[in-house]
Amino acid sequence: MQARYGTATRNIDVTERLKQLARYERRIQISNELFGEDPAVGEHKALRIYARGRNRATRVFEYQEKDFIDSSHFNGWSEGRWGDRNGRGHRWDDGISDARERVTVLAASYGSGRRSREVTDVVRAMVRGGRIDMAVENHTLGTDPVPGRPKTLTVVYTVDGLRRQARVPEHGRLLLP
């Protein structure tokens, strides 16, 4: 439906630019250069894509600056069959629930065997609207504790107060709940 890039207080509509890029690229890295503008100089930015699922509900996908978009997650991406056809613009926080967060991250580590790093704060920062949808990659987690070896992200969390654990291999995707 729409895409916005920046921060909560300073962001720009980048829907048309993404539509142009989608015709040629399957994997796109988020950066100021990509959009030809820095809407919030000196601040860490994110790209929010507002999409409508098969059930007609709006979902928000958020990618941090320097993350990659994998277009295979979106139907009709390369054909340009997207964009808000009724002209309604989205605010930065549209589609983000104001309800209490359902997911609470208690602890997170990333690595292999005894060689792992604590990444709790990084994973906590990925909670949006009570959910987490993040790529498990060295650059996303900010570390490569065991270069050249396969790694796993282990997350201990609660969902509405119930304690759980998730293990996701490197290059996988953490989706909670």
Side-chain angles (χ1 to χ4, degrees):
M1 295 175 358
Q2 188 179 37
R4 300 198 66 81
Y5 175 67
T7 66
T9 56
R10 291 182 277 175
N11 56 79
I12 56 174
D13 185 322
V14 294
T15 308
E16 290 306 314
R17 177 66 177 136
L18 273 183
K19 284 174 89 169
Q20 292 170 351
L21 292 167
R23 291 184 181 102
Y24 308 104
E25 308 276 337
R26 268 192 71 75
R27 201 162 179 244
I28 301 169
Q29 186 173 25
I30 309 305
S31 68
N32 296 325
E33 294 77 24
L34 180 72
F35 300 117
E37 182 174 346
D38 186 345
V41 177
E43 295 183 56
H44 182 76
K45 289 158 283 296
L47 171 69
R48 284 192 175 171
I49 298 175
Y50 302 87
R52 184 169 289 128
R54 288 188 177 100
N55 64 357
R56 309 294 294 159
T58 299
R59 266 190 84 187
V60 180
F61 296 86
E62 184 168 293
Y63 298 88
Q64 301 302 308
E65 193 172 11
K66 306 297 181 208
D67 280 354
F68 287 86
I69 299 172
D70 181 352
S71 63
S72 67
H73 292 111
F74 300 96
N75 290 331
W77 178 267
S78 63
E79 293 86 26
R81 293 186 291 119
W82 50 284
D84 198 349
R85 286 162 179 59
N86 66 11
R88 178 182 169 265
H90 288 273
R91 293 186 327 267
W92 183 256
D93 59 354
D94 281 355
I96 304 292
S97 171
D98 290 330
R100 68 182 173 87
E101 292 185 346
R102 291 182 52 207
V103 171
T104 302
V105 176
L106 303 175
S109 63
Y110 180 61
S112 177
R114 294 181 184 201
R115 297 189 63 193
S116 64
R117 297 266 167 83
E118 191 267 332
V119 292
T120 305
D121 290 339
V122 174
V123 176
R124 278 184 185 144
M126 297 293 184
V127 176
R128 300 285 185 273
R131 301 178 187 277
I132 298 176
D133 180 356
M134 67 174 278
V136 177
E137 302 287 348
N138 295 330
H139 71 273
T140 307
L141 293 162
T143 186
D144 186 352
V146 196
R149 294 198 47 207
K151 291 160 277 296
T152 301
L153 172 66
T154 302
V155 181
V156 178
Y157 64 100
T158 62
V159 175
D160 295 331
L162 298 173
R163 188 180 174 107
R164 299 185 180 170
Q165 180 174 318
R167 294 177 51 85
V168 181
E170 182 179 15
H171 310 301
R173 195 147 197 93
L174 176 65
L175 297 165
L176 300 175

